[in-house]
Amino acid sequence: MRTILYFLILAAVNGAIFSASAEELFLGRVLSVDPEKGQLLVALIESENDTDTHGEKSIEVSIPKDRLPKHLLPGNIIRIWGGFNGETGSLNATYLQASGQKSYGKDPTGVRRRIGKSRSQFGGQGGGKGRGRN
């Protein structure tokens, strides 16, 4: 019984010390693009229905060059998955999706993308598209 108590205390302390960072979803309008550096200047939009930025401040977004969408132009509306860096005041993106890109339908919350990671859509070898259990 004591062993279980020690294990539970250890698990609680471990959970409090190590916190996992989750990806957040941002919506923004592209102001400028630098494909050589993999950096964008984006004005964040508060809601998806309201595409006007209302004079919001711009934020710098950095992403690996190979993940930058092709044909990205200033004025495009993009979805950004990533985390905010409080030290530099910039956004570190792991994935970008420009409006009008083909992406298996609308996915404003990113749930389908996360489910698709376990399937073959995003590099996994899961049971999607007729590859069920072997």
Side-chain angles (χ1 to χ4, degrees):
M1 187 66 169
R2 287 185 181 176
T3 308
I4 294 173
L5 181 62
Y6 290 128
F7 179 71
L8 290 175
I9 291 172
L10 180 65
V13 169
N14 189 20
I17 292 174
F18 299 108
S19 63
S21 62
E23 286 185 342
E24 294 182 52
L25 177 64
F26 299 94
L27 185 68
R29 181 182 305 273
V30 177
L31 300 176
S32 68
V33 181
D34 187 3
E36 289 82 27
K37 293 182 180 179
Q39 293 183 345
L40 306 166
L41 193 61
V42 176
L44 295 180
I45 298 172
E46 291 298 319
S47 72
E48 192 171 345
N49 297 333
D50 183 22
T51 57
D52 187 21
T53 57
H54 295 298
E56 298 248 347
K57 66 176 184 172
S58 58
I59 190 166
E60 188 174 306
V61 178
S62 61
I63 187 167
K65 290 187 277 188
D66 60 335
R67 293 188 178 202
L68 191 65
K70 295 179 176 91
H71 310 296
L72 192 62
L73 300 171
N76 287 8
I77 303 291
I78 59 172
R79 287 189 174 98
I80 307 164
W81 283 268
F84 186 73
N85 188 350
E87 296 173 0
T88 61
S90 65
L91 232 132
N92 295 328
T94 57
Y95 179 73
L96 287 177
Q97 180 185 4
S99 62
Q101 279 186 327
K102 295 181 181 178
S103 177
Y104 308 107
K106 289 187 175 184
D107 187 17
T109 60
V111 172
R112 291 186 194 138
R113 179 178 176 271
R114 289 191 295 269
I115 292 171
K117 278 185 177 180
S118 65
R119 296 184 179 167
S120 64
Q121 294 175 4
F122 295 99
Q125 293 297 322
K129 296 186 181 177
R131 288 188 190 86
R133 297 180 188 175
N134 292 329

